[in-house]
Structures are given as structure tokens and as C-alpha cells.
Amino acid sequence: RDEVENWATPFIWENELRTEIVTSGLRKVRSYDLNGKELWELSGMTVNVTPTPFASHGLVFINSGYPGASPRPVYAIRPGASGDISLKPDQTSNEFVVWYQPLLGTYNTSSLVYGDIYYTLLDRGFLLAHDVKTGKQVYGRQRISAEAAGFTSSPWAYNGKIFLLSEDGDTFVVAAGPEYKLLGKNLLNEMALATPGVVRGSVLILTQSKVYRIAKNTK
């Protein structure tokens, strides 16, 4: 590819029309079929693209937010695109870009869709919520906690709760839904940078020197 270094993991998008390999990049986001043929491309990202694309509600979400850059975009894209689908300077949507937010992108964290809400965890400790189908704001910046430091790990969710793991190893628990409400905090007392894994009914959390497996006790 005509591209420089990037950090986002490629995403396999199995949508209603086809299976695509979506790759984020500084110069362009590109999607390929399984034989490597380019299907579509999108320009308008920031440098050091880190968040991984992901799909929900029939859309694929693309995110980039290098600190100090402008725009720091989020794009929601529907299946079936071909060619260059980049937005023109006066556009916020087109045939395949369902919605666009120019300043919602993140640097390290990937965003989260839970229910009908698109949650954004900013690296400096703020949470935002938008409607996943329209991109309209549900609630604006909410300081997670006065105790919350930086965040590198991406959020995860289950049982009506959003979980936010800080670099200090503190997991902040927030109620899912249209109003921000902090429910609690769990401490691991050690630096944590990696995004937890959710698999087989367990959460796997990696700190500087330990790995935790958290699960409901079963026989």
C-alpha cells in the first residue's frame, strides 16, 4: 500500500453483502475483498492511526484522533461502497458515509457500541455517548472521575454496564444508557495499558506483572 506506519489492526467485516478486509491508515482507509482487490477508499484521517475499525448495527466504524490534529474523525459506513467515498469539504455524509463526527476520534482507545449507543473514551479520562445510527449526541463530555488518570485500554461492556480500565489499573464502572452515572471502581494497583479480552464468559486483564481471569463461579 501507499502508506506509512499505522497501529490499527485490520478488521474482517462480514456484512450483509460481502466479506471485506478494512484497513485504517494515515493517507487512506482502504477496504479489500478476500482476493486482495481494493473495493473502496476513504481519506481524511489523522497521523498515527491507532483505533481498530469495528462493526455494529450493519455499519463499520472508522476512528482516528491524534492529539492536536484536526479533524479527529469518526466515520460510520454502510456496506456496498466502491471507489473513493471521501467526504467533500462541505459534507457530513454521502451515499455510503452514514454519519461523520469531525472531533470525536480518539488516539489510543477504540470506541464501543453497546445497545444503540456509540461510546467514546477519550485518553484523558472523558466519556461521550452518541446515537449509533445517526451520530447525534446523547451526552457530551463527562469526566469519568477526579481520580481517573490516562486511558489507553479500550472499554468493554456487559450486564448493562460499561467498564473503563485506566493506566493506573483502576476499572471504573459506568451505567450504560442515555445518562452518565458512575457506579463504582475496582483497583488492581498496577499499571495497565492493554485492552482486556472477553472470552468464554471470562474477562482477562493484563497488568504490568500479572494476568487476571475474572468470571462467575460455576461448577
Side-chain angles (χ1 to χ4, degrees):
R1 295 184 298 154
D2 177 21
E3 199 54 80
V4 297
E5 71 276 4
N6 293 286
W7 309 101
T9 303
F11 175 66
I12 306 299
W13 183 21
E14 296 180 277
N15 59 58
E16 60 187 18
L17 299 178
R18 61 198 179 191
T19 299
E20 309 179 29
I21 305 170
V22 181
T23 63
S24 288
L26 162 61
R27 295 188 173 130
K28 290 184 179 179
V29 178
R30 300 175 180 87
S31 183
Y32 304 88
D33 68 15
L34 297 183
N35 293 315
K37 178 184 176 182
E38 184 175 305
L39 299 171
W40 54 267
E41 61 183 25
L42 171 75
S43 60
M45 303 293 274
T46 62
V47 298
N48 283 2
V49 178
T50 304
T52 296
F54 70 95
S56 183
H57 292 66
L59 306 173
V60 68
F61 297 93
I62 311 293
N63 177 358
S64 173
Y66 187 75
S70 183
R72 299 186 297 278
V74 173
Y75 301 93
I77 300 168
R78 63 168 50 95
S82 62
D84 189 347
I85 64 169
S86 303
L87 294 175
K88 296 178 181 178
D90 59 342
Q91 288 183 317
T92 58
S93 65
N94 60 28
E95 182 181 0
F96 293 104
V97 178
V98 177
W99 58 262
Y100 160 71
Q101 285 283 354
L103 297 175
L104 192 60
T106 55
Y107 181 34
N108 284 308
T109 64
S110 298
S111 298
L112 169 74
V113 170
Y114 189 58
D116 291 328
I117 297 179
Y118 179 99
Y119 294 94
T120 300
L121 173 60
L122 299 180
D123 304 68
R124 294 183 180 180
F126 293 89
L127 189 69
L128 302 88
H130 289 75
D131 185 285
V132 67
K133 297 178 182 178
T134 66
K136 292 182 179 179
Q137 182 174 287
V138 175
Y139 59 73
R141 289 186 178 211
Q142 301 291 321
R143 166 65 75 179
I144 294 168
S145 169
E147 304 169 350
F151 288 79
T152 301
S153 303
S154 301
W156 72 101
Y158 58 91
N159 290 344
K161 300 177 180 66
I162 310 296
F163 298 85
L164 313 165
L165 176 62
S166 76
E167 294 174 357
D168 289 335
D170 300 332
T171 301
F172 296 88
V173 185
V174 174
E179 296 182 4
Y180 179 82
K181 183 179 180 181
L182 181 64
L183 301 177
K185 181 177 73 168
N186 302 313
L187 283 69
L188 295 177
N189 299 314
E190 190 171 52
M191 184 174 67
L193 300 179
T195 297
V198 180
V199 60
R200 297 183 182 179
S202 302
V203 177
L204 302 175
I205 299 177
L206 175 67
T207 64
Q208 187 173 12
S209 67
K210 300 178 180 67
V211 177
Y212 295 88
R213 175 177 175 262
I214 301 172
K216 183 178 180 180
N217 287 330
T218 58
K219 293 182 180 180

